[in-house]
Amino acid sequence: MTLATDQNTDGHGLSPTALRFIAIRDAVMDHWEREVRARVDGARDLLRPVLTNTLPAFFDNIAEALSPDHPRVQGASGSNAASAHGDERARMTPFGPDQVVHEYQILRESIAVVARGRVALGEPEWAVIDASINAATREAIRAFTRIHEELRHKVAAALSHDMRTPLSVVANGAQLLGRTDDWSLVRKVAAKMQSNADRLEDMMAELLDALTFQGSARIPLHLTRFDILDLVQETREQYIPAAGGAAIDVAIDVAGESVTGYWCRASLRRALENLINNAIKYGDQGTIGIVAHQTRGRLMLSVHNGGNPIPEEQHGRIFDYLRREAGPLSATGWGIGLPFVKAVGESHGGSVTVDSSPELGTTFLIDIPVDCRPFVEQDGGQLAVS
């Protein structure tokens, strides 16, 4: 068993209670899915990979937090999986903040129902579970709100800038019509006013489209069907020097299961290269681990390295283009590598999360549907499938 967000394996600080808790994950998620579809507005018709979202990774984090000897304090600490959940909810569902809160409440209920008689959860364990779910709810709502706030800023910018010129033409034309008796001029001005009114109508349609689709920038994808482990091995081999070539300073281990799905091979390869290069640059020269597995229709592809952790307050900001942070990681800045990785995940209808702490190292997780065709096809004609 490999836990999604930090590549944890059996025996790595996990208590017997935590192992039993992990064993009921699928049963909890099945119960949660049934209840959410029945009780949460807008959830009934969502495809499973979208509904599942990043919750399996969050569930694994709660299991680690239930282990007294594990450094994770609660399920949302050291990871931005909950923020990615809220971000994805804003981008890919009709949910409002009430629905996001409700689904976390149902998660707690589902744990209680499924764990009864199977996992002994006393007051200390429930304190960890409650703290985890409460923190995740807050982080998810903050991310959800941020996406909508960014959209409002974009709409305001369009209203104040793009619409200013046609509105000015219409207003000036109306004043001119009130002062002239020249019918030839009236016809010219009226035609210009009509043209700019049409422009305004087109702009309003574009704004309504933006309000309907609340996503961020996407990249063009060419989807093909392939095994993700084949791509991972192919990418790894380019870091193995040919005879007489210069060797890299670290080893790259590949593990996990064969997962065949529909993705964009070129963009996922570039994303993997960025994460490997990042691990080489900022890691501790120890082994880089790449793990692939699937759960509930989602591919979980992670890249792990040791070394200095990424401060928790930077977990969201490292995905911003050209952001530079103060401290040991600021020598060259993060550039466009991690923002590109994030864009790849979101363009495939999923998310990219980071889990980082001094005790666990740093793991980037690409969490996307196994078959992303239904989620990419809705994105304005950027899809090509072969």
Side-chain angles (χ1 to χ4, degrees), residues 177 332 337 346 380 386:
L177 290 179
T332 58
E346 293 182 356
S386 61

Side-chain angles (χ1 to χ4, degrees), residues 5 54 79-85 87-88 91 268 271 275 298-299 301-303 315-316 318-319 337-355 363-368:
T5 60
T54 63
S79 169
N80 73 334
S83 295
H85 178 88
D87 186 302
E88 199 168 316
R91 290 186 288 109
L268 277 180
L275 292 179
R298 306 271 295 200
L299 167 68
L301 178 62
S302 60
V303 178
H315 283 187
I318 58 173
F319 295 107
L338 291 180
F340 174 79
V341 174
K342 181 173 184 284
V344 169
E346 293 182 356
S347 297
H348 280 83
S351 301
V352 175
T353 63
V354 59
D355 189 291
T363 303
F364 285 95
L365 175 67
I366 300 175
D367 183 352
I368 58 179

Side-chain angles (χ1 to χ4, degrees), residues 302-330:
S302 60
V303 178
H304 175 270
N305 68 275
N308 291 326
I310 302 169
E312 194 160 348
E313 64 273 12
Q314 295 184 20
H315 283 187
R317 297 199 299 265
I318 58 173
F319 295 107
D320 294 342
Y321 276 98
L322 301 177
R323 175 174 289 276
R324 297 172 183 268
E325 298 289 352
L329 300 180
S330 63

Side-chain angles (χ1 to χ4, degrees), residues 117-162:
R118 300 173 65 176
V119 184
L121 298 174
E123 186 174 336
E125 287 77 23
W126 274 112
V128 170
I129 293 170
D130 287 339
S132 300
I133 291 176
N134 291 340
T137 303
R138 291 192 298 270
E139 292 183 16
I141 291 298
R142 278 197 295 267
F144 183 93
T145 303
R146 175 182 54 80
I147 291 293
H148 284 273
E149 192 65 30
E150 289 176 357
L151 178 63
R152 283 194 290 271
H153 286 313
K154 291 176 182 177
V155 171
L159 287 171
S160 64
H161 182 268
D162 296 345

